[in-house]
Amino acid sequence: MARRGHDLILAVETSCDETAAALVTRDGDILANVVASQVDLHARYGGVVPEVASRRHLELVNPVILEALREAEATLADVETVAVTTRPGLIGALLVGVAAAKALAWARRLPLVPVDHLHGHVASLYLEPLDLEPPFTCLLASGGHTMLLDVRERSGYHVLGTTLDDAAGEAFDKGARLLGLGYPGGRAIDELARTGDPAAYDFPVARVPGLDFSFSGLKTALLYAVRGLSPDELAARRADLAASYQRAIVRALVERIDAAGADRVAVVGGVAANSELRAALPGAALAPLALCTDNAAMIASAARYVPSLDYPGYLELDARASA
Ligand code: KG4
Ligand code: ZN
């Protein structure tokens, strides 16, 4: 491995149900990107249970950071800056990462960078080898957010539109639940949809004013379609339902991107992993698959464009549930 100076960014991300740590260079090379998913832990509840997530983060955060250092063949002496997601997310989950990052930074008198999780998703585009330069219009579609962003510089963005109800990932997750596919549902629907007929059901694509999104009507339409089916009928139609439902979500997202009339388009967030969405946007810059769902490399990437807080001022830094 190429020898670096002491210029590494160590990032920690614990905003939801992935405990993640990464080591990234100032130039945006990823040396390690470790994600410990809690999906199996929450699956039996059909969604993330905040208190369970916090406790699991507490158990995992140190081993995950150590694993990232091991993978990068680095030690804390190679770390120049610590970065951490401070908002938005589950407050108890965020606090675990913030406490861990503060302790690491404080022990070595390093600066600390507070990072907005959504900025992190956008910054997944700034890592090597993609290294995308603004300006571009960015669709951020995750489990918690669905937004169209005007990105003019790497340090931030302006919101052009957002969802009025559910996020696109939430629509996938709720749909998967109605179809009996378990949690989280995006990937399960994506896989099942490949064997189904997307024209089998005519699910609605909500039209709301401006560049906003709405997915709650679609979810209700699926509920009605599923409700009339016996278990055997549901089993027989499940792939068609998944394909038609996914088609409607993808269509809604692509229509909004088209409506924004942008020259350059990028897509980030968990839903950016969706194969139909990726295929529907051949000209767009797509976040690499490993960087679509939550990870800490994207947080390290964003930290390069955010002012750092010097020791020891950041000891008062707090997490925030909202954006
Ligand atoms: O960005 P992310 O990891 O977490 C949030 O910040 O919310 O996104 C998670 C979301 C979940 O709703 C999950 O179902 C969805 O991304 N997702 C997908 C796919 N992979 C993950 N949705 C559609 N197709 C996929 N392949
Ligand atoms: Zn996320």
Side-chain angles (χ1 to χ4, degrees):
M1 169 164 303
R3 195 61 219 160
R4 334 146 276 267
H6 305 284
D7 70 337
L8 300 186
I9 302 166
L10 167 61
V12 178
E13 150 68 45
T14 63
S15 67
C16 190
D17 61 343
E18 332 273 2
T19 316
L23 283 147
V24 171
T25 67
R26 284 260 147 223
D27 294 334
D29 285 312
I30 303 172
L31 302 187
N33 189 21
V34 177
V35 181
S37 176
Q38 304 182 7
V39 157
D40 296 345
L41 185 65
H42 299 283
R44 78 183 91 142
Y45 305 107
V48 179
V49 183
E51 182 59 23
V52 173
S54 310
R55 287 166 191 265
R56 193 74 180 126
H57 283 307
L58 212 47
E59 291 167 0
L60 289 172
V61 71
N62 284 347
V64 164
I65 290 169
L66 286 171
E67 177 63 17
L69 286 166
R70 200 190 58 76
E71 261 184 33
E73 297 176 28
T75 70
L76 285 177
D78 299 312
V79 175
E80 173 202 71
T81 303
V82 179
V84 64
T85 308
T86 55
R87 67 189 184 284
L90 302 170
I91 189 69
L94 286 165
L95 281 171
V96 176
V98 169
K102 274 185 194 173
L104 275 171
W106 180 82
R108 302 196 69 85
R109 312 293 193 255
L110 296 173
L112 184 71
V113 186
V115 176
D116 180 306
H117 183 80
L118 306 182
H119 185 205
H121 274 299
V122 178
S124 66
L125 301 163
Y126 306 147
L127 291 161
E128 292 292 340
L130 199 57
D131 198 17
L132 190 72
E133 275 299 337
F136 54 87
T137 298
C138 186
L139 170 69
L140 190 171
S142 71
H145 298 85
T146 296
M147 295 175 157
L148 261 185
L149 307 172
D150 178 25
V151 183
R152 294 183 176 271
E153 68 276 302
R154 286 186 167 185
S155 56
Y157 53 78
H158 296 283
V159 179
L160 300 172
T162 187
T163 182
L164 303 177
D165 38 59
D166 294 343
E170 204 177 348
F172 271 109
D173 294 338
K174 289 178 176 172
R177 193 172 185 166
L178 289 170
L179 293 173
L181 293 172
Y183 175 86
R187 193 138 121 210
I189 289 188
D190 194 346
E191 278 163 17
L192 185 60
R194 284 171 207 169
T195 63
D197 174 8
Y201 291 84
D202 192 16
F203 288 126
V205 174
R207 291 206 168 71
V208 289
L211 293 173
D212 289 334
F213 303 84
S214 166
F215 292 103
S216 63
L218 175 60
K219 177 192 62 192
T220 308
L222 179 64
L223 172 68
Y224 286 143
V226 168
R227 215 160 52 173
L229 301 178
S230 70
D232 281 352
E233 285 170 332
L234 176 59
R237 305 304 310 269
R238 195 177 271 125
D240 286 347
L241 285 161
S244 304
Y245 188 71
Q246 173 170 288
R247 174 62 53 90
I249 296 176
V250 168
R251 206 175 266 166
L253 296 172
V254 172
E255 272 187 10
R256 274 303 180 255
I257 291 174
D258 288 347
D263 293 339
R264 301 174 74 220
V265 172
V267 189
V268 300
V271 177
N274 185 264
S275 58
E276 185 172 344
L277 181 62
R278 294 177 87 85
L281 295 167
L286 304 169
L289 278 181
L291 300 178
C292 288
T293 44
D294 288 349
N295 64 87
M298 68 185 197
I299 301 304
S301 179
R304 297 178 296 155
Y305 309 102
V306 176
S308 61
L309 305 171
D310 289 332
Y311 168 91
Y314 49 75
L315 289 178
E316 289 173 14
L317 186 68
D318 224 340
R320 229 171 55 199
S322 57

